[in-house]
Amino acid sequence: FSPGLLVVAGSFAAFRLLNRGLERLVPPPPSARRNRWKWRNIWTSLAHSALPDTHSLSPCRFYLHPELSNDLVSKHPPGAHSLVAVSVGYFLEDFVDMLCNQKLHQSWELLFHHSVVIICFGIAVLLHQYVGFALVALLVEINSIFLHLRQILLMANLVHTTCYRLNSLINLGTYVVFRIATLAWMSRWLFLNRHNVPPAAYAVGTVGMAIMTPMNIILLYRLLRSDFFR
């Protein structure tokens, strides 16, 4: 039994409670009242992305612990394991929320994405290995802040505003830096260190990168088409 599972369970419960109470904290505007669960879901996702440890401390960890970039398998700074466990709890909660409230043909891409993340992060939590690799992956949450803000502005019918336009520009910039570039760096690291990673773990990582990279490139194309090439 891994103590990390307690953190996962606690995180799941905390995000579930937050999801239930968000409608009172952030009442949906008239344009979003037809889809109240989605409004709560996006705000819950934004709360995870905005957690200080989830994004701002991740680059600091690599700056303070430069040896991490050479060994993402067995080395990780204090608190990193709990951070990954908290994220597993969030992705489990979001998976359940979508499964219960959205039709499968509307959510299968995100459900598939979450399944890959839960498996990869779950291995890190259970084995106390590859936590550094998972920490790199969490850098994408910096972009997720603006990605979720974009959805909130869309649901609030604020597309034709300066705020939406500014967020679109920041969203695009952080998408390229913290999603595309991060995934490319992770794929490169995995390939260069293939001899130091057990075959099973290497297979999981390779499949994960092979799934995540095309999904994020497709999403980038959709963002460009929607916000810049309409």
Side-chain angles (χ1 to χ4, degrees), residues 97-108:
D97 193 38
M98 287 188 291
L99 203 60
C100 294
N101 294 287
Q102 198 170 31
K103 294 179 181 179
L104 187 60
H105 74 272
Q106 295 175 316
S107 60
W108 72 268

Side-chain angles (χ1 to χ4, degrees), residues 22-36:
L22 267 171
E23 194 163 337
R24 293 182 179 180
L25 294 172
V26 191
S31 57
R33 287 173 187 166
R34 292 180 300 175
N35 207 351
R36 292 175 180 271

Side-chain angles (χ1 to χ4, degrees), residues 7-182:
V7 180
V8 171
S11 172
F12 178 90
F15 279 109
R16 198 67 184 156
L17 288 172
L18 177 64
N19 183 288
R20 293 299 178 89
L22 267 171
E23 194 163 337
R24 293 182 179 180
L25 294 172
V26 191
S31 57
R33 287 173 187 166
R34 292 180 300 175
N35 207 351
R36 292 175 180 271
W37 86 266
K38 185 66 176 177
W39 180 258
R40 296 194 307 270
N41 177 272
I42 297 171
W43 275 100
T44 304
S45 299
L46 179 61
H48 170 256
S49 299
L51 281 174
D53 261 1
T54 302
H55 56 88
S56 63
L57 293 186
S58 292
C60 293
R61 291 178 194 274
F62 286 94
Y63 177 77
L64 296 173
H65 303 272
E67 70 277 4
L68 272 177
S69 59
N70 297 321
D71 185 3
L72 298 179
V73 178
S74 59
K75 294 181 180 179
H76 57 268
H81 182 266
S82 296
L83 171 60
V84 176
V86 167
S87 292
V88 172
Y90 157 72
F91 283 110
L92 282 170
E93 190 281 330
D94 200 43
F95 186 97
V96 171
D97 193 38
M98 287 188 291
L99 203 60
C100 294
N101 294 287
Q102 198 170 31
K103 294 179 181 179
L104 187 60
H105 74 272
Q106 295 175 316
S107 60
W108 72 268
E109 288 182 67
L110 274 176
L111 290 174
F112 187 51
H113 168 274
H114 283 17
S115 298
V116 175
V117 174
I118 290 167
I119 290 171
C120 294
F121 281 22
I123 291 173
V125 170
L126 289 172
L127 301 182
H128 284 258
Q129 298 283 310
Y130 315 105
V131 175
F133 198 75
L135 204 62
V136 176
L138 281 175
L139 289 174
V140 304
E141 292 302 317
I142 296 175
N143 166 251
S144 293
I145 294 174
F146 305 101
L147 204 59
H148 297 319
L149 279 175
R150 176 183 179 274
Q151 290 181 292
I152 290 170
L153 291 170
L154 281 171
M155 291 193 71
N157 200 23
L158 296 172
V159 179
H160 304 292
T161 61
T162 303
C163 184
Y164 182 89
R165 187 62 180 171
L166 179 61
N167 184 75
S168 294
L169 293 171
I170 299 173
N171 182 37
L172 178 62
T174 55
Y175 197 102
V176 172
V177 174
F178 293 106
R179 282 188 182 268
I180 302 300
T182 296

